[in-house]
Amino acid sequence: MQTKYEAKSYSNYIAGEWVESTGGSIESRNPATGELVSRAARSKPEDVSHAIEAARKAFDSGVWASKRPAERAKVLLEMSEMVRKEIDGLSFLLTLETGKPLADSKGELLNAANVLEYYASASRHITGRIPRYSGTDVSLVVHEPVGVCGLIVPWNSPISLLSWKLGPALAAGCTVVIKPAGYTSGITMEFVNQISSIEEIPPGVINAVTGPGDSIGSELVKNTNVDKVSFTGSTETGRKIMEMASTNLKKVNLECGGKSADIVFDDANMEGALPSAVWSIFRSAGQSCNAGSRLLVQETIYDSFMKDFRETASKIRIGNGLDPVTEMGPVVSESQLNRVMGHIESGKEDGARLTVGGKRLVEGDYARGFFIQPTVFEGVERGMRIFQEEIFGPVLCVLPFVNEDDAISIANDTKFGLAGDVWSRSLTRIMKVSQGIRTGTLWVNRHLNPGPEVPFGGYKQSGLGRETGMEGLMEFLQTKHISLQLTDSFERVRR
Ligand code: NAD
C-alpha cells in the first residue's frame, strides 16, 4: 500500500493569488497514524475581510454574473474533468486527512465531479416566467444571483459537500469565499489549487480561507458584505449561524445534524436490508449526517435479523484507509474519539445493552490512531441520550417495533428530520410510513440519493433549505419582478 506523502503547506487563495496570513498555521494529521498531512493558514478575521472584499469586487463588476450561461457551464465542466483527472492524488489526500477507506474517498470525488457536471447543465436552465401578458401590461419574473456567498463546509465529506455549494453558486452567477473545517483544510486547498488553473475563472470569483470556525467562520457570517451563507455542520453551530447572519438579514441555508431511522419490516428483502443497515451506520465510521443511527426492526423478525446483524457488524475490517482491505477507518480526531466514547459510556450507564463492540482499539498499529469498534446498543429506550443525540460515530441504537404506527412514532421521536430508510415489499406499508415520517428524504429499499438531480435537506432541526437538484440552485438565486407598462402615459393600477 502506498503511504509515502510529503506534507504540504497552503496559504489562503484570494483574488486569484496565494496570500500568506500573519496568523501562523493549523495542522491536519492522519487520524489513523497521527502523522502530519498538511499545514494551512490560521487566518485572522482581517484575512477573511480581504477575501470578502475580493468576492464583492468580482460580483459587483459583473465579471462572472454577466457571463453567458454556456460560459459558466464550460468552467463547471472543466472543474469536473479536473476532479476526474486528479482523482488518484486527491483521493489519497482525502483518505490521509479523514481516515476513510480509499474506495470511499474515490466515491466522494466522483460524486463531486458528477455534481459539478450537473450544475454545468443546470446553469443553462435558469428560466423566468411571464405571469401577466395583457395588452400593454406585462410582468416578467426573473432570477438573479444572490451575490457574495460564504460556503462553510464540515470535515466528514469535504469535497462532495463543497461541490453541493460551489456548483450551484457558480451556476447562478455568485462569487464565493470557501471556509473548510480545520481537519480537511489540506484537501480543500489542494482542490482549490487544482481549479485555480482554469483560466476562464476571473480573479475574486472563488476565494478560500482556512482557520478556526469560531473566529474566521463567524467573520464570514457576520460581515455585511456577504449576502448569503451556505453552511453544513452541526445543529449547534447552525443555530449560532442563524443568529449571527441577522447583521444584514443575509440569506442562510443550513444542512445540519441527523438521527435517521432505518425501518425494517418483516416482509423486507433481507439480502438488501441487512447489508444496507450495517453499511448505513458504519460507513465512514458513522460520521455521516444521514447515517441510519437508529435501527428499528419489526418484532416478528427481531431475533433472527439481529443475530445476523451482530455477526456482520463484528466482522467489519477496521484499519488504515489506505489499506485496500479496510472497510472502516478511524474517527477523525482525538476530540471526536472522546465524544463518541462518552456517548458509549452514557449508553451503558443508562442501562442499554451493549451487544457489539464498545471499545477503542489500542493494540499494535491501532494505538497510533483513533479507532473505535462498530458498536451496537439494544434494549434502548427513547429517553436515553444515545437515542436522542447525534453521536457521529460508529454507534447504533436498535429498537423493536410492532406495526407501521409504532415505527412512525419511534422514528419521529427526535428533534432531527434529515433522512430515513424503509425496507418492505408492501406498497401500502411503504406509502403509510413515507407519509408519516417527518424527514426531508426517505429512501425505500435503498440507501442514499441516486444522483445530484434530487434535493437533499432537513425538516425540523436538521436544517433550512435544500442542496442538490434544481432546489439547490434556487438557493443561490433571488426572484425579481419587473412590471412593464408598454405605453408612456400614467395609468392607475386597478387591483
Ligand atoms: P461543525 O458545526 O463543528 O463545523 C462545521 C463548519 O463550521 C466547519 O467549517 C467549522 O470550522 C465551522 N464553524 C464552527 N464554528 C463556527 C462558527 N461559530 N461560525 C462559523 N463557522 C463555524 O460541524 P463538524 O463537526 O465539522 O461536522 C459534523 C456535523 O455536520 C454533524 O452534525 C453532521 O450531521 C453535520 N453534517 C450535515 C450534513 C447535511 O447535509 N445535513 C452533511 C454533513 C455533515
Side-chain angles (χ1 to χ4, degrees):
M1 101 182 151
Q2 182 200 346
T3 52
K4 273 219 157 95
Y5 174 77
E6 203 160 314
K8 266 172 93 170
S9 296
Y10 298 91
S11 40
N12 289 328
Y13 186 68
I14 301 175
E17 310 275 343
W18 291 96
V19 184
E20 296 292 337
S21 164
T22 54
S25 61
I26 52 172
E27 290 181 347
S28 65
R29 293 189 169 268
N30 184 339
T33 64
E35 285 160 354
L36 179 70
V37 181
S38 46
R39 285 190 193 85
R42 181 183 289 279
S43 305
K44 293 175 160 182
E46 49 267 37
D47 300 315
V48 184
S49 314
H50 181 192
I52 294 168
E53 277 161 30
R56 183 84 259 163
K57 200 167 151 208
F59 184 76
D60 290 347
S61 73
V63 69
W64 182 248
S66 65
K67 275 195 188 296
R68 284 182 298 118
E71 291 174 291
R72 293 206 293 269
K74 185 166 174 279
V75 166
L76 284 161
L77 281 178
E78 277 185 54
M79 269 185 203
S80 162
E81 276 161 27
M82 180 285 297
V83 173
R84 291 186 197 280
K85 196 167 126 248
E86 301 298 330
I87 196 159
D88 287 341
L90 289 173
S91 51
F92 184 67
L93 183 51
L94 181 55
T95 286
L96 290 185
E97 280 193 333
T98 60
K100 64 174 78 174
L102 204 49
D104 292 356
S105 292
K106 283 200 173 149
E108 175 174 342
L109 287 156
L110 287 174
N111 174 272
N114 199 11
V115 170
L116 293 168
E117 243 162 48
Y118 170 74
Y119 282 112
S121 60
S123 70
R124 305 179 79 163
H125 293 275
I126 299 172
T127 56
R129 23 184 217 116
I130 306 177
R132 288 173 75 94
Y133 180 71
S134 160
T136 57
D137 175 8
V138 179
S139 279
L140 309 178
V141 174
V142 297
H143 299 297
E144 297 185 335
V146 167
V148 174
C149 301
L151 311 183
I152 303 180
V153 189
W155 45 263
N156 64 320
S157 297
I159 301 302
S160 64
L161 294 175
L162 173 59
S163 75
W164 291 19
K165 303 178 187 304
L166 186 63
L170 295 182
C174 298
T175 60
V176 305
V177 178
I178 298 165
K179 211 289 295 156
Y183 301 129
T184 46
S185 295
I187 177 63
T188 308
M189 296 315 273
E190 186 52 42
F191 170 83
V192 171
N193 181 30
Q194 298 290 342
I195 60 175
S196 67
S197 63
I198 300 173
E199 282 172 9
E200 295 90 340
I201 307 175
V205 171
I206 298 175
N207 307 275
V209 291
T210 52
D214 52 3
S215 58
I216 70 148
S218 58
E219 171 59 25
L220 195 54
V221 183
K222 285 188 207 149
N223 193 303
T224 52
N225 254 327
V226 176
D227 301 299
K228 178 195 163 76
V229 165
S230 174
F231 165 82
T232 302
S234 60
T235 294
E236 197 189 343
T237 311
R239 201 171 285 122
K240 288 187 198 157
I241 299 234
M242 221 168 156
E243 274 178 37
M244 290 189 288
S246 67
T247 47
N248 59 333
L249 293 189
K250 58 173 63 67
K251 284 150 193 59
V252 285
N253 79 288
L254 307 173
E255 291 282 342
C256 299
K259 192 79 183 174
S260 301
D262 183 345
I263 303 171
V264 183
F265 281 97
D266 56 9
D267 64 339
N269 168 16
M270 298 305 160
E271 282 173 21
L274 179 72
S276 175
V278 174
W279 185 69
S280 86
I281 175 64
F282 297 124
R283 179 180 74 100
S284 293
Q287 302 167 116
S288 306
C289 56
N290 50 34
S293 53
R294 296 179 303 159
L295 175 62
L296 314 186
V297 185
Q298 195 158 21
E299 60 178 10
T300 39
I301 53 159
Y302 187 91
D303 290 342
S304 64
F305 187 86
M306 283 314 297
K307 181 174 168 289
D308 293 345
F309 188 100
R310 286 179 218 117
E311 214 176 293
T312 315
S314 333
K315 284 189 194 145
I316 290 176
R317 287 188 293 251
I318 306 166
N320 188 324
L322 296 177
D323 187 338
V325 302
T326 293
E327 292 171 318
M328 191 180 101
V331 294
V332 77
S333 64
E334 189 166 7
S335 65
Q336 188 68 8
L337 176 117
N338 292 335
R339 233 185 117 246
V340 176
M341 293 309 295
H343 277 288
I344 294 175
E345 283 314 306
S346 95
K348 289 198 254 178
E349 279 161 24
D350 285 349
R353 237 173 35 252
L354 183 65
T355 56
V356 178
K359 292 202 175 75
R360 176 184 181 178
L361 296 174
V362 286
E363 260 137 52
D365 279 350
Y366 288 129
R368 299 195 295 150
F370 310 122
F371 295 94
I372 302 174
Q373 291 174 320
T375 297
V376 178
F377 278 109
E378 296 176 63
V380 175
E381 282 170 25
R382 294 198 205 186
M384 291 179 183
R385 233 183 95 199
I386 52 167
F387 179 85
Q388 292 294 344
E389 291 182 17
E390 184 186 43
I391 300 176
F392 222 54
V395 182
L396 177 71
C397 296
V398 194
L399 278 87
F401 68 88
V402 182
N403 55 24
E404 290 93 321
D405 288 330
D406 195 25
I408 293 169
S409 156
I410 302 173
N412 283 340
D413 188 0
T414 166
K415 66 181 178 193
F416 298 107
L418 192 59
D421 305 33
V422 183
W423 288 83
S424 170
R425 287 186 170 113
S426 152
L427 193 55
T428 322
R429 266 179 173 169
I430 290 169
M431 288 319 292
K432 182 165 182 186
V433 175
S434 304
Q435 289 171 40
I437 288 186
R438 299 198 63 227
T439 58
T441 295
L442 202 73
W443 293 297
V444 178
N445 298 332
R446 69 179 311 147
H447 182 69
L448 297 184
N449 278 354
E453 301 82 6
V454 294
F456 186 73
Y459 278 25
K460 302 196 266 183
Q461 294 185 38
S462 286
L464 198 64
R466 292 292 177 268
E467 292 199 308
T468 62
M470 287 309 272
E471 288 83 352
L473 178 57
M474 290 310 295
E475 300 278 344
F476 289 89
L477 290 163
Q478 49 195 347
T479 302
K480 179 182 274 178
H481 167 213
I482 302 173
S483 177
L484 304 170
Q485 180 161 251
L486 303 175
T487 66
D488 52 9
S489 64
F490 174 73
E491 193 183 308
R492 254 186 78 189
V493 174
R494 282 183 301 275
R495 290 177 192 277

